[in-house]
Amino acid sequence: MQVTDSFSAATRAERAYFFYLQRQRRGLSGNEHGDWLCAEASFQQNDLPLTAIKGIGPRAAAELSKLGVNGVRDLATWQLSDFGERLPRLTARARSGQWIEQARGLS
């Protein structure tokens, strides 16, 4: 019988990378379990999650991922006109929250 947990591989990688960053900030080595190595490699390929942008929650991230925007780097390539064409409901939030500017700063 195969045991599955409630977290996807991406979520586990995000959590591992988050805890790795927290350990780094506190001055701890962070590699006692080696779990962050996998997470770091995953994030180098996949970029930061959209929820790293202030104002983007899980629902908005899900809507953006349906359009192929899966990380901060993808969002940095967008213009506000792209929101108007593809996600008109989120255009005002993207403009007021400066999502694209935040993404460009993080990527």
Side-chain angles (χ1 to χ4, degrees), residues 24-42:
Q24 289 291 93
R25 286 187 192 127
R26 292 183 183 135
L28 302 173
S29 67
N31 62 356
E32 54 273 359
H33 300 294
D35 59 349
W36 62 269
L37 288 173
C38 175
E40 186 175 27
S42 171

Side-chain angles (χ1 to χ4, degrees), residues 4-104:
T4 59
D5 57 11
S6 60
F7 296 109
S8 67
T11 305
R12 285 193 306 269
E14 289 174 9
R15 290 180 58 168
Y17 189 68
F18 172 77
F19 289 118
Y20 161 71
L21 289 177
Q22 288 212 333
R23 288 189 298 255
Q24 289 291 93
R25 286 187 192 127
R26 292 183 183 135
L28 302 173
S29 67
N31 62 356
E32 54 273 359
H33 300 294
D35 59 349
W36 62 269
L37 288 173
C38 175
E40 186 175 27
S42 171
F43 271 85
Q44 286 175 352
Q45 292 175 344
N46 296 330
D47 193 13
L48 288 172
L50 288 169
T51 53
I53 302 289
K54 184 178 178 184
I56 297 182
R59 267 193 304 186
E63 289 184 35
L64 286 165
S65 68
K66 288 178 188 175
L67 297 174
V69 180
N70 296 312
V72 172
R73 287 187 197 148
D74 294 336
L75 184 60
T77 63
W78 273 39
Q79 303 291 326
L80 273 176
S81 59
D82 293 328
F83 276 98
E85 295 168 6
R86 300 176 186 174
L87 285 173
R89 189 174 73 73
L90 293 178
T91 303
R93 285 181 55 200
R95 182 182 300 119
S96 66
Q98 299 179 340
W99 293 354
I100 296 170
E101 290 80 8
Q102 288 183 59
R104 289 180 181 153

